[in-house]
Amino acid sequence: MNRAKEHTEIMKNQDPSVRINNMNEVALGYTKEQAILESERCLNCKTKPCVNGCPVGIDIPKFLSEAAVGDFDKALSTIKESSLFPSICGRVCPQEKQCQKECTVGKMHKSVDEAVAIGRVERFVADYERENGKESKPVIAKKTGKKVAIVGSGPAGAACAADLAKNGHEVHIFEALHEAGGVLTYGIPEFRLPKAIVKKEFENLEALGVKIHLDTLVGRTRSIDQLMNEDGFNAVFIGSGAGLPNFLNIPGENAVGVLSANEYLSRINLMKAYDTSISRTPYPRAKRVAVFGAGNVAMDASRTARRLGAESVAIIYRRGEEEVPARKEEVAHAKEEGIEFMLLHAPKEILTDENGRVKGVVLYECKLGEPDASGRRRPEIIQGSEKVYDCDLVLVAIGNASNPLIKMTTPEIETNQRGNFIVNPDTLETSMKGVYAGGDIVLGAATVILAMGQGRKAAAAINKYLAE
Amino acid sequence: MNKIVFKEKLSEEVFHFVVEAPQIAENVKPGQFLVVQQGGDGDERIPLTVADHDVEKGTVSMVFQAVGESTHRLALLNEGDYIGHVLGPLGTPSEIENFGHVVCVGGGIGLAPLYPIAKALKEKGNKVTIIAGARNKDLLVMMKEHKSVDPNIIITTDDGSLGLKGVVTVPLKELCEKGDVDRVIAIGPPIMMKFCEKTTKEFNIPTIVSLNTLMVDGTGMCGCCRVQIGDKTKFVCVDGPDFDAHLVDWDNMFARMGTYKEQEKEAHHKCHIDLQLEEGKA
């Protein structure tokens, strides 16, 4: 019997009053029974609108029908035909803007919140199989004798590497940091994506024969030219991600206690500064925190600050609630944790004390005007509306510029004005023969799943290129 | 993993490591630096300068002072031990041109990264004058190497234990007054670099400093190292570490370098107890 008319199964979370005192994962996941009940809500409609909503085209109705009868092995295999890291994507994908947005069940209920919770089932299936040691070994094609270099071990590079390895190529990933995973490791906090899961996915990648070289900054340690002409690589995929955090260029922004969200999250996640019993990396201790921006990174930064003892944390965003770019679930979680949302406010200036330390932020109030190029209503400053928000830490989470390093050292690769690589949209090949690129270095700031999608697309093109 | 093939204690808290890192040795240029992470889960990433390299042996040399917990722990490693992670070469290489007469000023362990720059400038045809300064003669590192570049090297020590008693800016000013200095490179403690800049400013001499700010990743990702250069914000790890000294906002840089002063002091004290080291020794 179909359960489409029922409400969506609620996923249990850690209680807000408890979780603000720990770093453990907030969402506790479905039980087996819930996963089956939720899967039964799928109408299995012919048009499969959800599949079109998925950046990597997972056959969603198929895996849901398999999960609905408790065949989680099959469900996971179905997902893995299109997506390589379901335990990660089930957690961090913005499903409400992708598959679940298109879901017929949600439309029937006139609420995306009532769509089949595809992401939660995906997550359950991946976790269940992993925890029960039932993940099947992928089939690896005969060795081709071709070598591919992957620059960066984030979502784009990891997805590209996995596909190429399965096709029998010798794959080497070059990662600049001392741990693999890119944004999955340094950016997304433990409470949203446990690092043990990321580690497991990279172990799986190594089991495919992928070799990961840490501490290797392509552009400095090795150039693209050296990789191709001295080290014998037949093709290169660049998934080096975003770089250089953006700042607002307002007075006081270089004061002590103003950090990019990237720096703050890197200290906490990559360097594990939150665990003072082992970590030697310090982090700024703060009582009142202002976070500029309202994307997922801003949510991660604000919620981290709360867990590290901040009494009050405010998201400062110049547009309104509707325009908030972060995932709905992250915003809801942040609110439950007591994060204040100062919408329609824009920073004017950062105030400092006599030692050059942050003591507050001067804010303008804003109102929304006509839609701008992005289609969102343009925030307009209300003159004379200035007020001061007292704080001892400012976290700037307004996006990243592209990393200039490879561009600087590989002038053959064409970039646009923003410094993003220009690629052939069908193959993701750059202007340099045999060199492909994907993820944030091409897209600007995007999502984990879009980066993975590009990694896979490039892998397919590289596969073809190497067969020629 | 990078093997330590040579270790030397240069003074009470200053160490010289030669480490296997063939890819870094092949590509490193004067002025670039490394980020070292000892290998444990909780270890910090620490930016260290490159004092020398050997392409054939595939090694790089680093000279560092044990100033905090992480560097004290690093100093406990011995020949044959491995450092978990060495990343480099990082940063934009120093500008090496024929400028004419270049005065290279090195203070304390700043003498180590200064050496490859001074050597490259000499090879490019410059007249190179080196001023080496430190608190006392034990802290003057790589003197043999520097003398091979400038046999008439000028030495100053705060306590007068070697060379002139006093600070580097005294001979620097005298050289500037002679009027034939085309460029000054100053590498050392931030306060020394600031006073070198003040000294050369009145003579309008182009002056380059190599900044040693706090860093996390060292690859342009976090912005921890940002400094105010004129009216622009720059990242030391990718735009630097070399900058036009006359444009540096020194007060802001000093303040930012002290961001974690309290936590660092605590950790340093605790580590002397944990590692059973006497204060001032490593």
Side-chain angles (χ1 to χ4, degrees):
Chain A
M1 193 195 86
N2 188 276
R3 301 184 65 260
K5 286 186 179 156
E6 306 289 323
H7 290 296
T8 189
E9 286 294 314
I10 306 291
M11 179 165 60
K12 264 198 170 167
N13 291 320
Q14 271 200 79
D15 188 78
S17 65
V18 174
R19 70 187 192 232
I20 58 165
N21 295 309
N22 68 52
M23 277 291 184
N24 302 336
E25 192 171 15
V26 169
L28 301 173
Y30 275 166
T31 61
K32 190 170 161 182
E33 291 69 30
Q34 281 187 299
I36 291 172
L37 285 173
E38 187 63 22
S39 300
E40 286 175 351
R41 296 182 68 234
C42 174
L43 290 168
N44 222 330
C45 37
K46 281 216 174 67
T47 50
K48 302 182 181 185
C50 51
V51 179
N52 292 330
C54 173
V56 296
I58 297 174
D59 191 342
I60 294 164
K62 182 158 180 264
F63 98 74
L64 288 175
S65 65
E66 289 156 347
V69 295
D71 194 344
F72 302 125
D73 287 358
K74 259 198 188 153
L76 187 65
S77 301
T78 301
I79 298 171
K80 284 204 166 178
E81 281 168 24
S82 316
S83 172
L84 297 162
F85 308 108
S87 61
I88 295 173
C89 295
R91 287 175 164 81
V92 303
C93 261
Q95 292 104 2
E96 73 279 6
K97 291 177 186 164
Q98 299 174 356
C99 52
Q100 291 171 204
K101 185 183 171 194
E102 308 299 332
C103 174
T104 312
V105 174
K107 291 194 170 144
M108 212 169 81
H109 283 271
K110 295 194 171 59
S111 163
V112 69
D113 298 340
E114 295 290 352
V116 178
I118 300 163
R120 293 174 188 173
V121 178
E122 178 187 23
R123 170 196 158 129
F124 171 82
V125 168
D127 286 359
Y128 182 84
E129 295 295 290
R130 188 186 62 251
E131 284 157 13
N132 293 291
K134 285 164 81 176
E135 284 178 298
S136 56
K137 286 247 153 55
V139 186
I140 301 173
K142 212 173 112 245
K143 283 200 168 31
T144 62
K146 301 281 165 97
K147 273 173 77 179
V148 186
I150 309 276
V151 182
S153 65
C160 188
D163 274 359
L164 289 168
K166 284 183 200 162
N167 279 299
H169 305 300
E170 183 183 330
V171 182
H172 295 254
I173 298 183
F174 298 96
E175 166 57 48
L177 297 175
H178 64 280
E179 274 192 47
V183 71
L184 307 171
T185 297
Y186 73 76
I188 303 176
E190 178 75 19
F191 59 81
R192 210 150 70 78
L193 178 64
K195 299 308 145 204
I197 289 174
V198 179
K199 251 197 178 108
K200 184 73 180 70
E201 294 293 3
F202 277 84
E203 281 168 23
N204 291 348
L205 203 55
E206 288 181 295
L208 289 175
V210 174
K211 186 112 179 46
I212 301 173
H213 307 265
L214 302 172
D215 312 308
T216 309
L217 180 61
V218 173
R220 289 280 184 228
T221 315
R222 290 315 268 170
S223 65
I224 301 282
D225 184 64
Q226 284 174 320
L227 290 173
M228 297 194 82
N229 297 323
E230 292 176 28
D231 304 343
F233 286 100
N234 304 100
V236 176
F237 172 77
I238 302 171
S240 53
L244 309 174
N246 289 336
F247 288 90
L248 287 168
N249 297 316
I250 56 173
E253 212 164 17
N254 289 337
V256 177
V258 182
L259 280 74
S260 75
N262 265 9
E263 178 186 347
Y264 188 66
L265 293 171
S266 293
R267 283 180 182 274
I268 304 304
N269 301 328
L270 174 68
M271 307 311 296
K272 304 177 178 67
Y274 68 88
D275 188 351
T276 49
S277 70
I278 60 151
S279 182
R280 298 182 175 86
T281 300
Y283 68 87
R285 313 284 165 95
K287 290 280 167 231
R288 284 176 64 83
V289 183
V291 179
F292 296 170
N296 287 322
V297 175
M299 298 306 136
D300 287 345
S302 60
R303 298 172 66 198
T304 298
R306 188 83 172 104
R307 282 164 175 73
L308 294 177
E311 286 157 11
S312 67
V313 183
I315 293 272
I316 291 162
Y317 183 53
R318 59 197 182 129
R319 302 180 199 251
E321 179 95 43
E322 268 180 46
E323 288 81 12
V324 166
R327 287 189 60 200
K328 217 169 160 180
E329 186 176 276
E330 306 310 323
V331 174
H333 282 166
K335 285 183 177 168
E336 287 168 13
E337 290 164 14
I339 310 293
E340 190 186 342
F341 279 69
M342 296 183 77
L343 302 171
L344 295 170
H345 282 85
K348 179 191 183 191
E349 179 185 358
I350 292 165
L351 303 174
T352 54
D353 67 12
E354 64 283 3
N355 298 316
R357 286 185 180 258
V358 169
K359 65 172 187 183
V361 189
V362 182
L363 302 173
Y364 281 119
E365 281 183 37
C366 298
K367 60 178 187 212
L368 292 179
E370 294 300 308
D372 62 13
S374 71
R376 298 177 299 178
R377 293 177 67 192
R378 187 194 303 275
E380 289 166 5
I381 281 163
I382 300 171
Q383 292 301 335
S385 65
E386 290 97 324
K387 58 176 155 190
V388 174
Y389 179 83
D390 292 326
C391 60
D392 51 1
L393 178 65
V394 173
L395 301 174
V396 183
I398 57 163
N400 301 283
S402 62
N403 199 318
L405 197 57
I406 292 177
K407 183 179 69 178
M408 264 160 53
T409 52
T410 321
E412 300 95 308
I413 297 178
E414 281 174 24
T415 56
N416 66 16
Q417 285 166 329
R418 289 176 163 182
N420 295 325
F421 288 7
I422 298 170
V423 294
N424 174 331
D426 298 323
T427 62
L428 305 187
E429 190 174 23
T430 66
S431 53
M432 194 173 171
K433 195 169 167 52
V435 179
Y436 297 73
D440 279 5
I441 190 73
V442 169
L443 299 167
T447 59
V448 168
I449 189 71
L450 282 173
M452 285 184 181
Q454 286 215 315
R456 302 204 69 196
K457 193 171 179 180
I462 292 170
N463 209 20
K464 218 168 136 196
Y465 168 73
L466 294 177
E468 278 166 16
Chain B
M1 296 279 273
N2 304 69
K3 190 176 178 182
I4 300 169
V5 294
F6 177 78
K7 178 190 179 181
E8 183 185 11
K9 190 169 182 175
L10 298 178
S11 74
E12 220 38 89
E13 286 195 302
V14 179
F15 295 84
H16 173 204
F17 280 3
V18 179
V19 172
E20 277 177 1
Q23 297 194 331
I24 300 175
E26 189 183 337
N27 287 327
V28 68
K29 297 197 173 56
Q32 291 187 301
F33 65 96
L34 311 169
V35 164
V36 169
Q37 201 265 3
Q38 202 165 323
D41 235 11
D43 281 312
E44 261 187 292
R45 292 171 69 90
I46 17 181
L48 296 179
T49 53
V50 181
D52 208 349
H53 70 279
D54 188 322
V55 182
E56 265 168 45
K57 288 184 184 148
T59 58
V60 290
S61 304
M62 43 179 114
V63 171
F64 65 94
Q65 189 161 10
V67 286
E69 189 186 8
S70 294
T71 39
H72 271 293
R73 291 183 66 258
L74 192 65
L76 292 176
L77 296 179
N78 288 310
E79 279 175 20
D81 289 343
Y82 286 82
I83 301 177
H85 304 274
V86 180
L87 170 67
L90 301 175
T92 304
S94 298
E95 200 184 343
I96 306 293
E97 296 293 333
N98 191 338
F99 300 106
H101 181 198
V102 184
V103 175
C104 295
V105 188
I109 59 159
L111 283 159
L114 183 68
Y115 166 64
I117 299 171
K119 189 169 92 174
L121 286 167
K122 176 87 180 275
E123 283 163 4
K124 201 80 185 176
N126 291 283
K127 177 187 171 190
V128 176
T129 304
I130 296 172
I131 303 173
R135 287 203 310 276
N136 60 56
K137 69 175 192 326
D138 293 336
L139 296 171
L140 289 163
V141 301
M142 299 189 76
M143 281 299 105
K144 205 177 93 201
E145 288 82 356
H146 279 292
K147 278 176 192 162
S148 73
V149 176
D150 176 17
N152 302 316
I153 185 169
I154 301 163
I155 293 168
T156 70
T157 49
D158 293 0
D159 66 355
S161 52
L162 193 68
L164 308 165
K165 186 174 193 288
V167 290
V168 290
T169 45
V170 177
L172 177 62
K173 189 169 184 189
E174 285 170 13
L175 285 167
C176 292
E177 279 164 348
K178 285 184 188 159
D180 73 332
V181 178
D182 298 299
R183 194 177 177 90
V184 171
I185 318 272
I187 308 181
I191 193 77
M192 181 209 92
M193 294 194 278
K194 177 184 167 174
F195 280 103
C196 287
E197 185 272 318
K198 293 248 171 296
T199 306
T200 61
K201 177 122 190 165
E202 50 177 299
F203 300 96
N204 243 332
I205 299 171
T207 300
I208 302 295
V209 285
S210 176
L211 302 180
N212 47 353
T213 51
L214 302 182
M215 286 186 191
V216 184
D217 66 287
T219 66
M221 208 179 77
C222 83
C224 172
C225 63
R226 64 195 195 277
V227 285
Q228 188 77 30
I229 304 294
D231 58 359
K232 295 210 163 64
T233 294
K234 295 278 183 186
F235 287 12
V236 172
C237 70
V238 288
D239 300 317
D242 288 4
F243 290 101
D244 179 343
H246 300 313
L247 295 178
V248 175
D249 180 340
W250 296 101
D251 290 343
N252 179 249
M253 186 181 107
F254 288 134
R256 289 187 61 81
M257 287 181 80
T259 303
Y260 301 102
K261 210 160 53 191
E262 288 310 311
Q263 292 175 58
E264 281 163 0
K265 216 161 47 185
E266 221 173 275
H268 186 188
H269 180 65
K270 186 174 165 286
C271 104
H272 271 280
I273 296 169
D274 290 352
L275 303 175
Q276 301 190 318
L277 296 170
E278 231 177 278
E279 291 287 345
K281 291 195 174 170

